[in-house]
Amino acid sequence: GGKAANPVKIRCYLPPEKWGQTMVQLNGREAHHLTHVLRVSPGVEVTCFDGQGTQAQAKVQSVSRKGVSLEMGQQQSVPTPPWGISLAVAIPKHGKLDQIVDQATQLGVHRLIPLLTARGVVRVSAQEWLKKEPRFKQIAIEAGKQAGVDRLAILDPVTPWNRFLRLTQGYDRILMGTVEGPHEDLSVLLSEPGVKKVLLLIGPEGDWT
C-alpha cells in the first residue's frame, strides 16, 4: 500500500479575549465552520491563533448545537518577522477592497491603510467605514486561516491624504506606484542594507495628482 497522506491542518481563529482558559467554548461563525464545513469530531486537533502572533494546539472535546468545546494546549508566541510592509491604498470601486484585504493578508502585509485621494472615485465617510470594518476583519481572518498567517494585517480607519502624511515617519523606504515614469527597480530598492520597514502606496484608477 502507498504511504498515507498527511492530514489537513485545521486552523481556527480564537479572539484574544478567549485566551488564558483551559477549556474554551466556540460558537458563531468559527464553530459553524468547524462543525458543518470541516465536520470535526471529539479528539480532533486544531491549531488556534489570535491574529496577533499567539497560537496553540487544541483538542476538540465535544460538538453540539451550542458550539464546539476545545481543550487548549500551551500557547506559543510566533516570532515577529524582521521586516514589515504597510500598504496604503486608494479605496477602489466595485468592492475590490475585499480582494485587496484578502490577498494582502495572505502575503503577510503588516498594516493596511485605506486612503481618500484627490482622484479617488469612491468617497467613504468614517461612519460608513465603521459599518464595513467587521466584514473586512472577517475576510482577513479567513485569509489568515487559509494561508497559515499568524499575524493579521492591522486595518486602519479610512484616512484622508493630509492625515496620512503624518503617518509616514519611521519607514526605511516609501514606494509609490505610478502610471507615469520615471520608475526605479523595485528589487534594487528593497535589497539595499537596512531596508526592513516599507510603506507602499497604490493610487486610484486616475493615478496620483
Side-chain angles (χ1 to χ4, degrees):
K3 200 172 183 179
N6 289 328
V8 176
K9 192 174 184 180
I10 298 174
R11 284 170 56 80
C12 167
Y13 174 73
L14 192 63
E17 63 269 17
K18 284 188 175 286
W19 291 77
Q21 307 170 41
T22 305
M23 298 295 296
V24 170
Q25 184 72 18
L26 264 187
N27 44 38
R29 186 187 295 265
E30 287 297 309
H32 180 272
H33 185 71
L34 288 175
T35 55
H36 295 281
V37 179
L38 300 175
R39 300 189 180 279
V40 299
S41 55
V44 169
E45 286 199 352
V46 301
T47 301
C48 296
F49 72 108
D50 69 349
Q52 298 176 9
T54 299
Q55 69 173 19
Q57 294 298 115
K59 186 175 287 186
V60 176
Q61 291 300 301
S62 64
V63 179
S64 68
R65 289 184 178 180
K66 293 181 180 179
V68 178
S69 180
L70 297 176
E71 180 183 6
M72 301 296 295
Q74 186 175 0
Q75 66 184 55
Q76 299 173 322
S77 182
V78 179
T80 305
W83 50 268
I85 295 178
S86 296
L87 177 63
V89 56
I91 301 173
K93 53 187 177 181
H94 304 314
K96 291 179 182 176
L97 196 56
D98 290 16
Q99 187 178 5
I100 292 173
V101 172
D102 176 32
Q103 295 186 358
T105 301
Q106 291 195 48
L107 290 169
V109 166
H110 168 69
R111 184 178 184 185
L112 189 61
I113 308 168
L115 292 180
L116 291 177
T117 60
R119 291 181 180 168
V121 177
V122 180
R123 316 305 293 180
V124 180
S125 69
Q127 290 76 17
E128 289 172 320
W129 185 260
L130 283 175
K131 294 178 183 176
K132 296 172 183 283
E133 207 168 18
R135 187 177 90 245
F136 292 137
K137 182 176 180 182
Q138 190 57 45
I139 290 171
I141 289 171
E142 295 303 324
K145 289 196 294 189
Q146 178 183 338
V149 175
D150 292 301
R151 295 181 185 273
L152 303 181
I154 298 167
L155 190 60
D156 278 24
V158 62
T159 307
W161 180 257
N162 288 342
R163 191 189 309 157
F164 165 73
L165 291 177
R166 297 198 292 268
L167 305 176
T168 59
Q169 304 299 316
Y171 286 96
D172 302 317
R173 280 287 179 275
I174 300 178
L175 307 175
M176 177 178 277
T178 60
V179 175
E180 300 295 330
H183 297 118
E184 298 182 69
D185 190 315
L186 188 63
S187 61
V188 173
L189 291 172
L190 295 180
S191 64
E192 293 174 3
V195 177
K196 293 184 177 180
K197 194 173 181 186
V198 176
L199 174 60
L200 176 61
L201 281 69
I202 298 178
E205 287 86 346
D207 207 16
W208 304 101
T209 58

